[in-house]
Amino acid sequence: MQTRIDQITAHDGSFDVHVWLPDAGEGPGVLLVQEIYGVGPYIEEVALDLAARGYVVAAPDLFWRLQPNWRGEHTPEGTQAAIDLAGGFDFAQGVADCALTVAHLRALPEVRGGVGAVGFCLGGSIDYMLATQIELDAVLSFYGSAVPDATGLMERVEAPLLFVFGGSDPYIPRERVAVVEKAAEGRPNAVMHVEEEAGHAFHNSQAPMFHHPAAAERTWAVATAFLAEHLPV
């Protein structure tokens, strides 16, 4: 498996995009959108998993305007530092950077087939909003806190959508998750997956305070099957 760092030019500078290539050297593209901890060990772990499944994975450094190559620690102190940094993040700029990354993926000679997006926490909100603006082949939004207040935009999304939430998430109360469930009802492209006993960021194996191993395993099986169906290798 090969990895590299590409550079993408935005209107106000350039940012790093971490790229992982599958052993075959080519495959469908996946935009992997970070959480507030940056492109750190957890995102790298997810990227390696997806690349092992045959995808070309690209994870942009979304905090490059604030602190390039930020890698927050999965501790209470590191989490607070990440929250403080994310407070200065321009969400719309982040969505725009992800659109540039998707265009970069589509132009890579190693990418054949479609391009999808997988995002966690902050990234789950970003890839959902991105899907309201550009065409994607699959969108997996993990516990995006901005989603419940933006369900009115769901009609703009033509891509297959998988929404993942924890039913015991203190940051996204269950009644807010229910708002997304109601909006997804009757939409053939929208699938809900709620792990009722899990909290926020439950798939993050690098964060002991959040990780719920059983829920993570079940959810990742659902997520990878969803990808395989809509973005086959």
Side-chain angles (χ1 to χ4, degrees):
M1 187 182 301
Q2 297 181 0
T3 64
R4 67 171 189 254
I5 296 178
D6 289 356
Q7 282 268 316
I8 291 180
T9 300
H11 69 93
D12 55 346
S14 298
F15 59 93
D16 290 345
V17 176
H18 299 255
V19 178
W20 292 260
L21 298 176
D23 288 338
E26 63 177 16
V30 171
L31 166 72
L32 179 57
V33 194
Q34 66 177 66
E35 8 83 305
I36 60 173
Y37 298 103
V39 184
Y42 170 60
I43 294 299
E44 291 172 352
E45 179 182 285
V46 174
L48 289 170
D49 183 295
L50 293 173
R53 297 174 189 272
Y55 296 100
V56 177
V57 184
D61 174 23
L62 293 186
F63 288 168
W64 66 276
R65 293 180 182 88
L66 301 171
Q67 190 169 329
N69 301 309
W70 164 262
R71 291 165 70 94
E73 295 183 2
H74 291 88
T75 63
E77 297 79 14
T79 298
Q80 187 57 54
I83 290 171
D84 291 344
L85 182 67
F89 177 66
D90 187 316
F91 189 90
Q93 293 266 35
V95 174
D97 288 345
C98 285
L100 289 174
T101 305
V102 169
H104 181 75
L105 266 173
R106 293 194 189 281
L108 290 180
E110 297 93 345
V111 172
R112 58 161 183 79
V115 173
V118 179
F120 298 90
C121 304
L122 170 66
S125 295
I126 286 178
D127 73 354
Y128 170 69
M129 297 304 293
L130 179 68
T132 70
Q133 300 178 20
I134 71 169
E135 182 179 338
L136 291 162
D137 293 281
V139 178
L140 287 71
S141 173
F142 284 68
Y143 22 81
S145 60
V147 174
D149 288 330
T151 55
L153 299 176
M154 204 177 296
E155 61 186 21
R156 298 185 189 178
V157 182
E158 296 183 3
L161 277 169
L162 173 64
F163 293 110
V164 173
F165 289 98
S168 302
D169 187 337
Y171 301 101
I172 310 173
R174 188 63 181 84
E175 59 266 24
R176 302 305 293 154
V177 175
V179 170
V180 184
E181 288 177 312
K182 184 169 181 59
E185 280 180 7
R187 295 188 181 275
N189 65 321
V191 176
M192 290 289 300
H193 181 81
V194 182
E195 290 286 345
E196 296 294 353
E197 77 281 18
H200 196 69
F202 67 82
H203 183 259
N204 190 338
S205 61
Q206 300 293 320
M209 63 184 127
F210 296 131
H211 190 217
H212 190 302
E217 183 177 359
R218 286 191 298 269
T219 298
W220 197 238
V222 170
T224 52
F226 185 86
L227 264 183
E229 176 183 358
H230 300 290
L231 196 63
V233 172

